[in-house]
């Protein structure tokens, strides 16, 4: 097994820095201008047809880079293969084409600040990006920084990830002397609506391991996320005219309110951080005869989430006891599982990621996310998938920005990583 990076290749990538900068800049500026905002209120997949605009563009580009088996399906999932130049099991890289529906993503006009002077950046519309508020900016004094014009988001989440993968593929295609196994490139739709992996054709993938390129700070890898369940609690009351209700009415709205009030405040999102999970009521609707509450359950430890599920069931019986004639049903759906449990049997994967990041000149940092990723959904379907940084900052809003050297290092990390999987 070739576990030591070829020093010659690392050095030659250093001399290719301006090539990486040029290729990334051209791709990133082009991709962010394509309007790909997803829509959480749409029932279709993809949630917005516009996501195809970028997916089709990438389909053509991957074909012209010599990728094989390039397929774009009706759900806007693009899968392509970069042929192997050496032995080894296939590995995958994944990013998403949509941008967050939380903020306008149409008419994105990226602003390039070359040789950033370290001061306050005027975005436009009176909005500014101040290093006093966002100290990470100072790290890139003298470098190229890309921001919004203050009116839209930038879309670095996740077009930076897409550009970084595409540039790495272009580099590898131009340097067939670099040994790597087959690489699967996977671009998905609707990551931001949480539905991107619903019905994903995992059987089409050959990779034993995948990497989402969808994180933030340079050098960071996310290898642990919440285990997540969603409970839908239905309250059925007994309805009768309030004027003659004494001893008879079971008010479903009162039942729901009491139920939610009995969730432990010490285990709420606002009372927890670090390794501690929570209950969080995210929606309540109701009338006298029927009400419904949605409660999400999160924790890093699966047993603790199970304990919370059983508390919700016991609480249903308690509420039924105190509202005679009323009924409470709890339905629980699993959303995603902690990817750490799937990565634990394969310590070599994170080891190689650490090596690739260090070889690119950064300090690797393994993070825990208080949320989930599309990678977590792939993990439970048999493909361990940690999340690697893109360099993007202040995601999902007008203050989003990214530094070009961070993108270069993300792309080079991919080039270094694939070599560590060459058998
Ligand atoms: Zn993302």
């Amino acid at each position: 097994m070739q576990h030591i990076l070829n020093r010659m290749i690392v050095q030659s990538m250093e001399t290719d820095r301006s090539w990486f900068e040029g290729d990334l800049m051209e791709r990133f500026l082009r991709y962010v201008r394509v309007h790909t905002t997803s829509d959480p209120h749409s029932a279709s997949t993809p949630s917005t047809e516009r996501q195809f605009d970028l997916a089709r563009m990438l389909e053509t580009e991957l074909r012209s880079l010599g990728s094989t088996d390039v397929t774009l399906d009706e759900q806007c999932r693009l899968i392509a293969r970069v042929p192997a130049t050496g032995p080894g099991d296939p590995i995958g890289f994944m990013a998403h084409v949509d941008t967050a529906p939380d903020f306008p993503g149409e008419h994105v006009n990226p602003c390039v600040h070359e040789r950033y002077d370290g001061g306050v950046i005027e975005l436009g519309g009176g909005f500014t990006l101040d290093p006093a508020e966002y100290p990470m900016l100072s790290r890139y004094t003298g470098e190229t920084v890309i921001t919004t014009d203050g009116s839209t988001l930038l879309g670095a989440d996740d077009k930076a990830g897409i550009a970084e993968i595409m540039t790495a593929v272009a580099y590898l295609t131009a340097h067939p002397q670099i040994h790597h196994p087959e690489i699967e490139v996977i671009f998905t739709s609707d990551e931001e609506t949480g539905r991107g992996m619903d019905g994903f054709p995992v059987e089409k993938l050959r990779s034993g391991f995948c990497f989402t390129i969808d994180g933030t700070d340079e050098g960071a890898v996310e290898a642990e996320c919440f285990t997540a369940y969603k409970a839908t609690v239905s309250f059925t009351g007994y309805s009768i005219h309030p004027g003659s209700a004494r001893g008879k009415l079971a008010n479903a709205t009162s039942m729901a309110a009491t139920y939610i009030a009995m969730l432990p405040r010490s285990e709420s999102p606002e009372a927890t951080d670090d390794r501690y999970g929570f209950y969080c009521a995210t929606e309540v609707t109701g009338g006298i005869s029927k009400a419904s509450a949605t409660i999400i359950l999160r924790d890093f430890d699966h047993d603790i989430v199970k304990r919370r599920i059983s508390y919700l069931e016991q609480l249903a019986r308690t509420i039924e006891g105190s509202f005679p004639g009323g009924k409470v049903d709890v339905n629980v759906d699993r959303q995603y599982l902690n990817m750490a449990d799937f990565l634990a049997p394969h310590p070599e994967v994170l080891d190689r990621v650490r090596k690739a990041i260090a070889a690119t000149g950064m300090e690797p940092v393994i993070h825990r996310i208080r949320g989930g990723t599309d990678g977590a959904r792939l993990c439970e379907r048999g493909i361990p998938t940690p999340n690697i940084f893109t360099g993007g900052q202040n995601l999902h809003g007008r203050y989003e920005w990214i530094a070009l050297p961070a993108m270069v290092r993300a792309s080079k990390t991919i080039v270094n990583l694939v070599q560590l999987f060459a058998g």
Side-chain angles (χ1 to χ4, degrees), residues 117-149:
D117 65 5
V120 175
I121 299 177
E122 307 281 340
L123 297 177
F127 298 103
T128 58
L129 204 52
D130 187 343
E133 203 174 338
Y134 304 110
M136 183 76 83
L137 267 172
S138 307
R139 197 164 147 182
Y140 300 103
T141 302
E143 307 277 4
T144 299
V145 169
I146 306 165
T147 67
T148 70
D149 67 1

Side-chain angles (χ1 to χ4, degrees), residues 96 98 157-158 191-192 214-215 395-396:
H96 59 92
D98 65 318
D157 180 9
D158 187 23
E191 191 270 353
E192 300 291 358
D214 195 16
L395 309 177
H396 297 198

